[in-house]
């Protein structure tokens, strides 16, 4: 007679895992998780706040970075777009006086053209994403946080900036005073996103080492997401994008300074206070204390090689499994039926 522990459904490694990801750092950990989990176990919820209309095309950078990374097609120098690219389109566009500040390689362009015409035909972003990711060889589920439009705006002393204009057009130069996620109030979380959070077999929710403000907060701003995370029975683990007072990549540290937030791993834990049960930091930051009662795990969080990504993914899952056996304050409150 098969015992519970041996039945495939209940074996640890077959239980579903949910990762929240945006940007390049998030995609790295998503790849590590994809390597250590069986097909079908991993769902990566992608930030869509970076999406924008450009040259009449619907561009979804964080979805595309995940698709290319999980499909092993990514350009590892830039972190975005594809390797083995050609640039005839951009060269010709420039010669015609078109906008060339946002670089679209010829192969990448085909993805934007196909997605744009399917969106115009009425297909949802999530259905298109699933089909194109499959065709490009990404085996794990990439799920937009919502099929409704949410657009991050970067607030500055000189007014709001559309995200890509700030991030690419102005290379993150303007000082930020805040962020606005236009459309979030009317957006619904993707039903499968909520469905995974409610799955009683869910093993862990992992907040990837992405920029908290521009990659994770847009996901948390979609109505119903925070409540679903708080009610989730599985351990919620975040990995610090700050190592020893600096960001691994991108404008996270600069934004924290401009917002008057100490550039420390502890500030990131405080940013997620009330949501997370565990926080993984670089050993150099292990002495940190956070406002929230969060369990700390210290290990190398810098991911250079595929082995680093696999090692961090393995450690994150082991940390979650350990916490699952020791209900945290957040989960304890929920498990006692608190509101
Ligand atoms: N980032 C840049 O710094 N310069 C670019 O020209 C650029 C083009 C681009 C094209 C497609 C795509 O999916 C991403 C692209 N990115 C570019 C990166 C993108 O701005 C960022 O990856 C995210 O929006 C922030 O994580």
């Amino acid at each position: 007679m098969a015992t519970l522990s041996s039945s495939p459904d209940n074996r640890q490694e077959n239980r579903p895992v949910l990762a929240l990801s945006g940007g390049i750092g998030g995609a790295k950990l998503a790849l590590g998780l994809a390597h250590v989990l069986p097909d079908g176990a991993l769902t990566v919820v992608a930030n869509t706040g970076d999406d924008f209309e450009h040259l009449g095309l619907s561009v979804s950078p964080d979805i595309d970075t995940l698709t290319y990374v999980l499909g092993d097609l990514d350009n590892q120098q830039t972190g975005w777009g594809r390797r083995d690219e050609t640039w005839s389109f951009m060269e010709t566009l420039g010669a015609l006086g078109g906008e060339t500040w946002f670089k679209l390689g010829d192969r990448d362009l085909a993805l934007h053209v196909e997605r744009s015409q399917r969106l115009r035909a009425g297909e949802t972003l999530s259905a298109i994403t699933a089909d194109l990711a499959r065709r490009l060889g990404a085996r794990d589920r990439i799920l937009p946080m919502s099929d409704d439009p949410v657009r991050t705006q970067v607030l500055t002393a000189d007014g709001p900036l559309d995200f890509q204009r700030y991030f690419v057009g102005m290379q993150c130069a303007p000082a930020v005073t805040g962020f606005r996620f236009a459309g979030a109030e009317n957006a619904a979380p993707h039903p499968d996103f909520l469905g995974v959070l409610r799955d009683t077999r869910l093993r862990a929710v992992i907040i990837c080492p992405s920029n908290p403000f521009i990659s994770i907060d847009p996901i948390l701003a979609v109505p119903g997401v925070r409540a679903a995370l708080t009610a989730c029975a599985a351990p919620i683990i975040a990995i610090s994008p700050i190592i020893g007072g600096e960001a691994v990549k991108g404008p996270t540290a600069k934004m924290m300074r401009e917002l008057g937030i100490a550039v420390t791993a502890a500030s990131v834990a405080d940013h997620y206070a009330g949501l997370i049960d565990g926080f993984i930091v670089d050993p150099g930051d292990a002495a940190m204390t956070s406002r929230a009662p969060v369990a700390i795990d210290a290990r190398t969080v810098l991911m250079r090689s595929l082995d680093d990504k696999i090692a961090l993914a393995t450690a994150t899952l082991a940390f979650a499994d350990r916490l699952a056996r020791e209900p945290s304050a957040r989960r304890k409150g929920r498990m006692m039926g608190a509101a």
Side-chain angles (χ1 to χ4, degrees), residues 131-153:
D131 182 51
L132 297 182
R134 183 182 53 75
R135 290 169 183 272
L136 289 172
R139 291 198 314 275
D140 304 277
R141 182 162 58 162
I142 300 168
L143 194 60
M145 65 194 198
S146 172
D147 276 330
D148 304 312
V150 177
R151 297 290 177 265
T152 298
Q153 293 189 322

Side-chain angles (χ1 to χ4, degrees), residues 22-25 47 49-52 54 59-66 68 78-82 87 90 100-105 108-109 111-112 115 163-165 167-169 171-172 211 214-215 251:
I24 290 144
N47 165 44
D50 295 6
D51 294 10
F52 75 135
H54 183 58
V59 180
S60 296
D62 285 350
I63 289 177
D64 294 347
T65 295
L66 279 167
Y68 292 147
T78 56
W80 52 265
R82 293 179 62 151
W87 299 93
M90 286 308 292
T100 56
W101 60 275
F102 193 80
K103 305 282 179 279
L104 295 171
D108 190 34
L109 177 62
L111 174 58
H112 305 302
R115 171 173 41 228
F163 180 78
Q164 295 299 340
R165 186 65 71 180
F167 191 88
V168 178
Q171 299 295 302
C172 306
N211 182 312
I214 57 177
S215 293

Side-chain angles (χ1 to χ4, degrees), residues 8-22:
D9 271 354
N10 287 289
R11 274 218 310 273
Q12 205 66 311
E13 62 277 10
N14 283 339
R15 294 171 56 198
V17 171
L18 185 73
L20 308 186
S21 174

